[in-house]
Amino acid sequence: GYYVLSFNNNTGISVDNFTLTDAIPAQFNVTSITVGGYDNFTGGTVTIRYQRSDNPGVWNVWPGSPFTPSNQTLNVSSLGLPGGVYITNLEWGYGTVGADFRTNPAPRINGIVMNPDRNGTAVNDGNTMTNTAQIDWEYLGVPGSDDDTQSDIVRTPVANPLVLKTTSTSGPYIPSSL
């Protein structure tokens, strides 16, 4: 699965220290992310940071940051995290963004639902997995923020075969005897 992180600055003015932070649900194991692409962000770069389950509250800079906003994919396997260590938070930092700054294409967080979750709790069919993203900024030194939460129902995979019948010619078909 994945989360798409769409956001913009539609205020009509530039804002400073613009960041997007995403708190990863305990049931979700991040496998890769994309840097994203952006309109009205000429010459800007994106610094990506992450927190690990074995060192809560400590931000680590993703190797290679800052990135040009060319929507490249960054694989978690390149971080060399030990087994049983997961990403718990992600942050995209943009610095100053202008009016009409927007995602195009939006950054993504790719991963899988794991059972048990990173806290050792069983993940069952019908459980809710909640993900919250938050943007923060400053204008004339005054901080602002906004957030959005997505709740999804975890479903056990099921087989869902599909039968499709076609003909090898488009006709017409003439009856004949054998």
Side-chain angles (χ1 to χ4, degrees):
Y2 58 89
Y3 291 102
V4 176
L5 307 168
S6 297
F7 51 93
N8 62 47
N9 174 20
N10 60 2
T11 62
I13 56 174
S14 294
V15 295
D16 301 317
N17 300 318
F18 192 90
T19 59
L20 165 75
T21 307
D22 194 289
I24 306 300
Q27 305 94 328
F28 197 74
N29 181 20
V30 178
T31 56
S32 68
I33 64 171
T34 63
V35 174
Y38 307 91
D39 291 336
N40 302 312
F41 193 50
T42 305
T45 59
V46 182
T47 299
I48 298 178
R49 302 186 317 156
Y50 64 96
Q51 290 183 10
R52 300 164 44 146
S53 59
D54 65 339
N55 204 0
V58 175
W59 287 104
N60 302 278
V61 175
W62 200 291
S65 281
F67 297 96
T68 58
S70 58
N71 201 39
Q72 65 264 45
T73 297
L74 308 174
N75 291 308
V76 172
S77 61
S78 71
L79 299 176
L81 299 178
V85 174
Y86 304 97
I87 290 180
T88 58
N89 290 282
L90 287 161
E91 179 187 80
W92 285 253
Y94 302 93
T96 299
V97 299
D100 298 323
F101 166 81
R102 68 180 38 86
T103 59
N104 184 24
R108 285 176 45 152
I109 302 171
N110 302 301
I112 59 170
V113 174
M114 57 185 171
N115 186 16
D117 70 15
R118 68 174 175 253
N119 300 322
T121 304
V123 177
N124 299 307
D125 187 59
N127 286 157
T128 300
M129 182 171 65
T130 302
N131 177 259
T132 300
Q134 177 175 316
I135 56 172
D136 294 285
W137 67 88
E138 289 181 12
Y139 177 66
L140 299 176
V142 178
S145 69
D146 194 17
D147 62 54
D148 188 40
T149 298
Q150 174 70 38
S151 293
D152 297 299
I153 304 300
V154 175
R155 292 288 177 214
T156 301
V158 296
N160 199 4
L162 174 68
V163 64
L164 180 63
K165 190 174 179 180
T166 63
T167 59
S168 59
T169 63
S170 60
Y173 302 103
I174 301 169
S176 63
S177 60
L178 295 175

